Amino acid sequence: MALDYVTLELLRQNHPAWRLLCAHYAPLVAGFLHRVFIVPNVRNLSQADLAEALEDELFALREQLGAEAFPGTAQSYLNDWAENDKGWLRKFYLVGTDEPHFDLTPATEKALAWLEGLTERAFVGTESRLLTLFELLRQMSEGSQTDPQVRIAELQKRRNDIDAEIARILAGDIPLLDDTGLKDRFQQFLQLARELLTDFREVEHNFRTLDRRVRERIALWEGAKGALLEEIMGERDAIADSDQGKSFRSFWDFLMSQSRQEELTHLLEQVLSLPPIQSMHPETRLQRVHYDWLEAGEHTQRTVAKLSEQLRRFLDDQAWLENRRIMDILHSVENHALALREEFPSGDFMRLAETSATVELPLERPLYRPPLKPLIDEMALDEGDADVDTAALYAQVVVDRAELTRNIRQELQGRSQISLAEVVTRHPLRHGLAELVAYLQLAGEWPKTAVDDEVQEQVSWQLETGVMRQATLPRIILLRDR
């Protein structure tokens, strides 16, 4: 796209990222959203949690800059940032909840990424980028080569290079990357990993935009259903068959492979343990960055599933008739509103009743109860001489159910199902039988659980005294909730 005057003027007036950079409170908006969304890689936050975090941020800033620095409330700022004239946050409702949730828009993420690029970097590597460019050119050249002889010659050349490298290693000449080379490549890995998470929001946004257009067309469509389905499916196929859609599908198929996930986990553990990489103080979240990719991809897949659900509902004749009836009523209201636009009626236009009835039952009021006046006998208390061990008062065991839930979810991130015995093996019991009982309670409350009474599993733990305990229970399988 050419950056001429007309294009830039349109972007300045309409693009949310440009509006964010020009906003009066841009440091507050960018800094806060980067801290709560980008740094921990959070896809959405509830209104209560986000408002609480922003209130803490505003309190700290007011302590530094004065009480008049940010006069608004956290809730008013969040609602303003989610308005269409700003477009920095997306406000939506999750299925089955009535509490608003917020997520970054792709435009906001682009602005934050640009601001991150303005900061001075302690180390700027170029070698790995140059090697990446050469590798990309080589892949494009080989991938578009139709002459079999040329491709065979290139493969033979690569085989000879591999044989020569094997011979050097066997002779004791093992080439290793120096610290600079490791840091250069790790920095490029960090940049690509973050850009990949950013791309997910944009792909999801494109599918969500298509979903919104589908809803509007279904509601306003007055022709045959076949014509509408053909038009909608054409747009969906256009997105799925686009370069962006094909790239996302290939990425998703690659990452869903169990062997690929295990390989990524092994490589990340190996690289993050290198001393030059540890000296860069990488974030601990990098150890599970591939799981962040999976989570972001699942958000996009759910958006595509919503689009398919809209098409299924459209095929339902009953839903079609209900939608048409609702739209007829709305059209009637719009026509009446347009007719009264120039001449407003006198008096009250429409009286609205309360949203809910206030019910106060007389029998709900409790009867009066006179206060009790205790009678205290005046008597001398004898000093006790019983020898009681008070250590039991301080030997209470508290099992953190939230931590146990996180253990189960962490294990299910890399697989579709896991047994309770495997979870306990990977996360040994620290509180003995009480912790095992808490696991069993969580398994009973888990959305998808299967119990195989034919197979018995052993769960063991060690007491503080060194004694081993063992429990036998049927195989309990926990399934990942899609």
Side-chain angles (χ1 to χ4, degrees):
M1 181 179 66
L3 294 179
D4 52 18
Y5 176 83
V6 177
T7 303
L8 292 175
E9 180 65 20
L10 289 175
L11 290 176
R12 186 185 70 84
Q13 295 178 4
N14 302 314
H15 203 282
W18 199 310
R19 287 198 296 265
L20 172 57
L21 297 176
C22 296
H24 179 63
Y25 293 151
L28 168 65
V29 181
F32 174 71
L33 297 182
H34 183 271
R35 180 174 64 85
V36 298
F37 283 104
I38 300 298
V39 174
N41 186 36
V42 175
R43 301 298 298 182
N44 60 74
L45 281 172
S46 65
Q47 179 174 270
D49 294 339
L50 193 59
E52 182 181 359
L54 181 55
E55 198 65 58
D56 295 340
E57 182 91 359
L58 294 175
F59 177 80
L61 292 175
R62 287 164 184 160
E63 289 289 321
Q64 299 176 7
L65 307 176
E68 302 299 327
F70 300 100
T73 63
Q75 188 61 58
S76 64
Y77 282 129
L78 292 178
N79 291 331
D80 181 57
W81 300 346
E83 292 292 339
N84 292 331
D85 60 338
K86 299 295 191 302
W88 304 331
L89 286 175
R90 181 174 70 95
K91 186 176 182 181
F92 61 100
Y93 292 85
L94 294 177
V95 178
T97 64
D98 56 357
E99 182 182 9
H101 284 67
F102 291 88
D103 189 15
L104 288 183
T105 60
T108 304
E109 198 159 8
K110 288 181 180 179
L112 297 179
W114 185 78
L115 290 173
E116 280 186 306
L118 296 180
T119 58
E120 183 177 354
R121 290 179 292 177
F123 173 75
V124 179
T126 55
E127 179 195 3
S128 62
R129 300 184 188 181
L130 181 61
L131 294 177
T132 302
L133 292 177
F134 271 100
E135 180 64 20
L136 291 174
L137 289 175
R138 185 187 63 78
Q139 292 178 6
M140 288 186 290
S141 176
E142 293 180 2
S144 59
Q145 183 58 252
T146 58
D147 189 351
Q149 297 300 325
V150 175
R151 300 196 68 168
I152 293 175
E154 179 62 27
L155 291 175
Q156 289 177 345
K157 178 178 178 299
R158 289 164 58 184
R159 184 175 63 182
N160 294 335
D161 294 339
I162 294 174
D163 292 338
E165 184 175 0
I166 293 175
R168 288 197 304 270
I169 294 176
L170 292 176
D173 181 12
I174 304 177
L176 297 175
L177 286 173
D178 57 9
D179 292 356
T180 302
L182 289 173
K183 293 179 180 179
D184 184 8
R185 287 157 176 79
F186 185 72
Q187 189 180 63
Q188 187 181 12
F189 167 78
L190 290 179
Q191 181 180 358
L192 293 176
R194 291 171 181 170
E195 290 178 353
L196 191 58
L197 290 172
T198 302
D199 293 341
F200 273 119
R201 271 198 174 92
E202 189 165 359
V203 173
E204 181 184 354
H205 173 75
N206 291 342
F207 279 109
R208 193 166 50 247
T209 302
L210 175 60
D211 177 67
R212 187 181 300 113
R213 288 204 302 264
V214 168
R215 294 171 185 263
E216 293 174 356
R217 292 185 184 180
I218 289 177
L220 300 176
W221 189 260
E222 297 181 355
K225 289 192 292 184
L228 177 59
L229 283 175
E230 182 179 0
E231 184 177 355
I232 293 174
M233 294 303 296
E235 287 197 16
R236 185 187 184 282
D237 293 340
I239 292 181
D241 295 337
S242 64
D243 295 337
Q244 189 181 58
K246 291 180 179 179
S247 178
F248 170 75
R249 187 164 59 249
S250 300
F251 166 84
W252 184 252
D253 294 340
F254 179 88
L255 201 59
M256 283 301 292
S257 171
Q258 183 69 25
S259 60
R260 294 295 186 182
Q261 294 181 25
E262 295 175 355
E263 182 181 2
L264 280 172
T265 302
H266 173 70
L267 292 175
L268 284 171
E269 292 177 352
Q270 182 179 1
V271 170
L272 292 175
S273 64
L274 298 175
I277 304 302
Q278 291 182 349
S279 66
M280 299 176 67
H281 305 290
E283 299 177 2
T284 56
R285 194 177 184 88
L286 283 175
Q287 296 180 353
R288 59 182 307 276
V289 66
H290 48 306
Y291 295 127
D292 291 339
W293 294 339
L294 275 174
E295 183 179 356
E298 287 180 356
H299 278 274
T300 306
Q301 294 288 67
R302 283 196 290 268
T303 303
V304 177
K306 289 180 181 178
L307 178 59
S308 301
E309 183 180 359
Q310 288 298 316
L311 298 178
R312 182 190 60 78
R313 291 182 179 178
F314 176 65
L315 292 174
D316 188 349
D317 290 334
Q318 184 63 32
W320 165 259
L321 295 176
E322 291 177 358
N323 289 337
R324 287 296 303 273
R325 175 58 180 162
I326 293 173
M327 291 312 303
D328 290 342
I329 295 175
L330 293 178
H331 284 316
S332 176
V333 174
E334 291 175 353
N335 293 333
H336 284 80
L338 291 175
L340 297 173
R341 181 174 55 183
E342 301 298 335
E343 299 180 2
F344 292 100
S346 59
D348 296 335
F349 178 70
M350 178 181 294
R351 293 185 178 274
L352 296 178
E354 295 184 1
T355 56
S356 62
T358 303
V359 179
E360 296 181 359
L361 298 178
L363 295 180
E364 289 182 346
R365 300 177 59 184
L367 300 176
Y368 172 74
R369 293 182 178 179
L372 297 177
K373 296 181 179 180
L375 298 177
I376 301 177
D377 295 334
E378 296 182 0
M379 56 181 297
L381 298 178
D382 297 332
E383 183 177 356
D385 56 356
D387 187 10
V388 179
D389 185 9
T390 60
L393 297 175
Y394 306 97
Q396 303 298 320
V397 176
V398 178
V399 179
D400 189 356
R401 287 170 56 92
E403 181 181 359
L404 304 186
T405 304
R406 286 194 299 269
N407 294 341
I408 298 175
R409 293 188 183 278
Q410 178 182 354
E411 297 302 326
L412 287 177
Q413 285 180 339
R415 58 179 68 183
S416 60
Q417 63 183 31
I418 189 171
S419 67
L420 183 59
E422 291 178 301
V423 175
V424 174
T425 302
R426 294 176 179 270
H427 304 274
L429 300 177
R430 294 180 298 173
H431 302 297
L433 184 60
E435 188 171 350
L436 178 59
V437 172
Y439 267 122
L440 293 175
Q441 291 176 344
L442 290 176
E445 300 169 0
W446 200 255
K448 293 183 179 179
T449 308
V451 179
D452 188 359
D453 296 325
E454 302 296 331
V455 180
Q456 300 293 322
E457 293 184 329
Q458 305 293 331
V459 176
S460 59
W461 65 92
Q462 186 176 9
L463 301 180
E464 295 181 356
T465 58
V467 178
M468 293 297 298
R469 298 292 187 186
Q470 191 176 69
T472 303
L473 63 157
R475 174 176 291 176
I476 302 175
I477 302 175
L478 303 167
L479 305 176
R480 183 166 59 189
D481 187 15
R482 292 286 180 180

